[in-house]
Amino acid sequence: MKLLNLRNKLKKEFELNGIEVSDADFIVAGCLGVNRTELTLIDEIDKKTETQILKLVNQRLNHKPVDILFKQTYFYGLKFKVNKHVLTPRQDSETVVEQAINIVKQNNLTSVLDLCCGSGCLAITIAKNTNAKVTASDISFKALKVAKENSVFNKVGVKFIKSNLFNNIKDKFNLIISNPPYIETNTLATLDQEVQKYDPALALDGGEDGLDFYRKIETEADNFLTEDGYLVLEIGFNQKTAVKKIFKNWTFVDCIKDLNKKDRAIIFRR
Ligand code: GLN
């Protein structure tokens, strides 16, 4: 079959079904093992390749995200394995990790803890871009398995601890970073099918008002931070005021917007 005809057919089908049209070329390119910009160089594809493409296209039409189809994604220029046991790294979180990297570098910080690490994208990105010793924890054994694989793949030494927040954490750190679950329980059912089906609810559900984890972190973080330690947290776009209120006994440093101009990273000091 002519590749151009197939691509056009798929794009129409995706548009009709309300699926991101550019995903069609992502899938085709992924199956052919080429860059999307190289697709125009290919004229014909064989039946076997077409069947393989259509199989993935069907899964995408059933709302399986492209990252999960190919079991990988990119975050801050690094490649990460993903599956349904971890929250797929979001571009929004690059703003959060960037803040942490800047703070670590500017202050020569030597130890960082990532709570609720999921795929490990925050911890591994910090380890790759700074000289700090990084520890990462998560309550989910299956998530930690993915995070460990990602640290090996990205060739960084991160210490992993299975822990419900601070339960199994012993040391003190210069900086604690976390992208905790922060979606209100009632909102979960309104999220995209892609998120509902393929991101773990455990990584999203922040309780009735979405703020459970900020309250828990606020209560305990003090015991796990060195004097003058930093706390860098990802928040939902509408949570700045509420989170500042929870951390009223802390020194507010800054709240940084993501690329969509939404409040995303909030920074406190003891
Ligand atoms: N930003 C994620 C989403 O929109 C939520 C991440 C979280 O709860 N920590 O799906």
Side-chain angles (χ1 to χ4, degrees):
M1 184 172 196
K2 290 262 184 237
L3 184 60
L4 188 62
N5 293 349
L6 178 66
R7 287 169 64 203
N8 288 337
K9 194 182 112 195
L10 295 180
K11 282 177 194 167
K12 271 201 200 106
E13 203 171 344
F14 276 28
E15 197 178 351
L16 276 175
N17 286 279
I19 305 277
E20 182 68 42
V21 173
S22 58
D23 282 3
D25 273 354
F26 265 115
I27 292 173
V28 174
C31 289
L32 293 169
V34 300
N35 226 302
R36 275 189 306 159
T37 50
E38 294 166 325
L39 288 176
T40 46
L41 305 174
I42 302 169
D43 186 29
E44 289 269 349
I45 56 162
D46 59 34
K47 192 76 205 158
K48 200 172 145 219
T49 313
E50 189 187 331
T51 311
Q52 192 199 348
I53 292 171
L54 293 179
K55 192 175 143 205
L56 296 192
V57 162
N58 265 330
Q59 296 183 29
R60 184 67 194 92
L61 288 170
N62 282 314
H63 300 285
K64 197 170 197 174
V66 172
D67 294 335
I68 302 286
L69 282 177
F70 291 104
K71 301 184 178 64
Q72 65 176 51
T73 193
Y74 288 87
F75 181 81
Y76 214 80
L78 300 174
K79 195 153 119 179
F80 289 89
K81 173 191 161 141
V82 292
N83 61 25
K84 65 176 175 7
H85 301 300
V86 299
L87 185 85
T88 299
R90 311 285 206 262
Q91 193 183 35
D92 298 343
S93 305
E94 292 182 340
T95 301
V96 184
V97 85
E98 184 169 41
Q99 290 306 314
I101 289 169
N102 289 343
I103 294 171
V104 169
K105 283 186 175 167
Q106 278 160 16
N107 302 283
N108 290 317
L109 303 185
T110 55
S111 60
V112 173
L113 170 67
D114 175 9
L115 282 180
C116 313
C117 72
S119 67
C121 64
L122 301 179
I124 290 163
T125 304
I126 294 171
K128 196 83 187 173
N129 289 281
T130 74
N131 294 321
K133 270 180 67 185
V134 183
T135 303
S137 76
D138 202 282
I139 193 173
S140 156
F141 180 74
K142 286 177 174 166
L144 282 175
K145 195 167 167 266
V146 176
K148 272 182 203 165
E149 281 179 39
N150 279 325
S151 73
V152 172
F153 177 77
N154 283 294
K155 299 189 176 65
V156 290
V158 171
K159 182 175 168 189
F160 291 99
I161 301 177
K162 185 175 180 316
S163 179
N164 181 0
L165 289 173
F166 293 105
N167 279 5
N168 297 327
I169 307 293
K170 303 237 153 47
D171 298 329
K172 281 183 188 277
F173 302 85
N174 300 143
L175 183 147
I176 297 176
I177 186 169
S178 183
N179 174 15
Y182 57 66
I183 308 288
E184 293 125 347
T185 306
N186 281 338
T187 308
L188 290 176
T190 67
L191 300 175
D192 288 347
Q193 292 283 312
E194 281 74 0
V195 178
Q196 282 194 52
K197 283 188 177 163
Y198 295 100
D199 279 312
L202 189 66
L204 295 165
D205 189 350
E208 199 178 336
D209 64 357
L211 300 167
D212 280 3
F213 286 82
Y214 301 105
R215 281 187 285 266
K216 288 180 190 165
I217 291 171
E218 196 279 331
T219 321
E220 289 198 72
D222 204 30
N223 302 325
F224 298 92
L225 275 177
T226 52
E227 220 174 295
D228 297 334
Y230 286 85
L231 195 53
V232 178
L233 302 172
E234 177 163 331
I235 56 169
F237 69 96
N238 56 358
Q239 293 176 329
K240 176 180 169 184
T241 310
V243 172
K244 268 180 94 168
K245 212 164 149 193
I246 293 171
F247 284 85
K248 61 181 185 303
N249 293 329
W250 292 61
T251 306
F252 169 75
V253 178
D254 212 346
C255 183
I256 312 289
K257 291 186 195 299
D258 61 26
L259 294 178
N260 297 310
K261 302 201 167 55
K262 308 259 194 231
D263 287 329
R264 193 59 65 194
I266 196 158
I267 306 164
F268 298 101
R269 295 188 77 170
R270 281 180 64 177

